[in-house]
Amino acid sequence: AQSVTQLGSHVSVSEGALVLLRCNYSSSVPPYLFWYVQYPNQGLQLLLKYTSAATLVKGINGFEAEFKKSETSFHLTKPSAHMSDAAEYFCAVSAGNRDDKIIFGKGTRLHILP
Amino acid sequence: GAVVSQHPSWVICKSGTSVKIECRSLDFQATTMFWYRQFPKQSLMLMATSNEGSKATYEQGVEKDKFLINHASLTLSTLTVTSAHPEDSSFYICSAPSGGYGYTFGSGTRLTVV
């Protein structure tokens, strides 16, 4: 079975500061890992995904994440926060088969302070 | 890229009535569709997995007689909330594997039962 734990339901950073959203996973098989962003009353937008290739994954809008097997982590970072980054972020995991279900973490609300 | 069209985007219905939500894959074949429910300020919880031409698989605790899922073709999956009650009010989102180990999400349906 797969699961993800997102540390911190709310994270606040100043505009221009580093963004770090934490995600730890648990999986009985090599996982595929994802980060999604959700704006209010909207669907999900994929930021990036790890599918067993390079451990450092670059995504859209300047986000990136590093898969660390030894730490079972897949933290999301962005060097400089922008006001438009304020949203809900979800880490997710699947077992890696093409049609396998994707399990979401509880989400982290990112607040950007002016 | 792959698109899943979800309709309606919002619906208000009276308690006791049924509501149908449709998800269509527009430019790819969706043999599998995942249905999620999201309560306010919470994560996405997987309700069920539908596969074209076969019965849906429901997650533990989800009433299959209340949430009817039909996946009659490779491009259409529907979720019908039967005898809706206020506690069924939620945000419902569908998702389909769309190649490249990716998933495409619908834009969601906001259901309000009054």
Side-chain angles (χ1 to χ4, degrees):
Chain A
Q2 288 76 40
S3 66
V4 290
T5 301
Q6 292 183 243
L7 302 177
S9 58
H10 292 266
V11 170
S12 296
V13 300
S14 298
E15 189 174 18
L18 171 71
V19 174
L20 171 61
L21 303 183
R22 300 177 186 274
C23 173
N24 288 89
Y25 70 89
S26 174
S27 179
S28 55
V29 298
Y32 286 1
L33 294 159
F34 309 82
W35 275 99
Y36 288 89
V37 61
Q38 185 181 35
Y39 296 96
N41 291 314
Q42 294 188 25
L44 296 170
Q45 182 180 15
L46 178 68
L47 287 175
L48 48 81
K49 62 185 178 185
Y50 166 77
T51 56
S52 74
T55 57
L56 181 61
V57 182
K58 294 187 183 298
I60 63 171
N61 300 340
F63 285 95
E64 64 181 39
E66 186 172 8
F67 173 72
K68 292 186 176 181
K69 184 178 179 180
S70 61
E71 299 177 9
T72 61
S73 68
F74 191 58
H75 302 330
L76 181 72
T77 61
K78 180 174 181 177
S80 178
H82 192 273
M83 294 301 290
S84 61
D85 294 327
E88 188 85 19
Y89 291 80
F90 293 98
C91 182
V93 64
S94 76
N97 297 314
R98 184 185 183 278
D99 292 344
D100 195 66
K101 59 188 177 184
I102 184 169
I103 304 300
F104 288 86
K106 292 184 180 298
T108 298
R109 171 74 62 177
L110 177 62
H111 304 272
I112 309 299
L113 307 174
Chain B
V3 175
V4 171
S5 177
Q6 183 171 349
H7 292 280
S9 56
W10 60 271
V11 58
I12 301 173
C13 71
K14 291 185 176 181
S15 186
T17 62
S18 295
V19 173
K20 179 184 285 188
I21 301 170
E22 292 188 350
C23 282
R24 294 180 183 272
S25 57
L26 297 187
D27 47 7
F28 69 103
Q29 293 183 334
T31 56
T32 300
M33 189 74 73
F34 302 107
W35 287 93
Y36 294 87
R37 177 169 54 185
Q38 185 181 31
F39 291 108
K41 301 186 186 301
Q42 296 188 29
S43 186
L44 285 78
M45 299 302 296
L46 181 65
M47 299 174 64
T49 302
S50 71
N51 293 289
E52 186 268 336
S54 63
K55 289 185 178 181
T57 302
Y58 291 81
E59 296 298 303
Q60 190 173 7
V62 177
E63 300 176 59
K64 61 180 66 176
D65 294 332
K66 181 170 189 59
F67 299 99
L68 300 180
I69 291 175
N70 184 275
H71 197 146
S73 76
L74 290 172
T75 59
L76 176 63
S77 178
T78 63
L79 167 67
T80 301
V81 183
T82 63
S83 186
H85 288 91
E87 57 265 31
D88 298 323
S89 298
S90 189
F91 193 57
Y92 293 86
I93 305 177
C94 61
S95 171
S98 51
Y101 305 104
Y103 298 79
T104 298
F105 286 80
S107 55
T109 297
R110 172 72 61 192
L111 170 63
T112 302
V113 184
V114 297

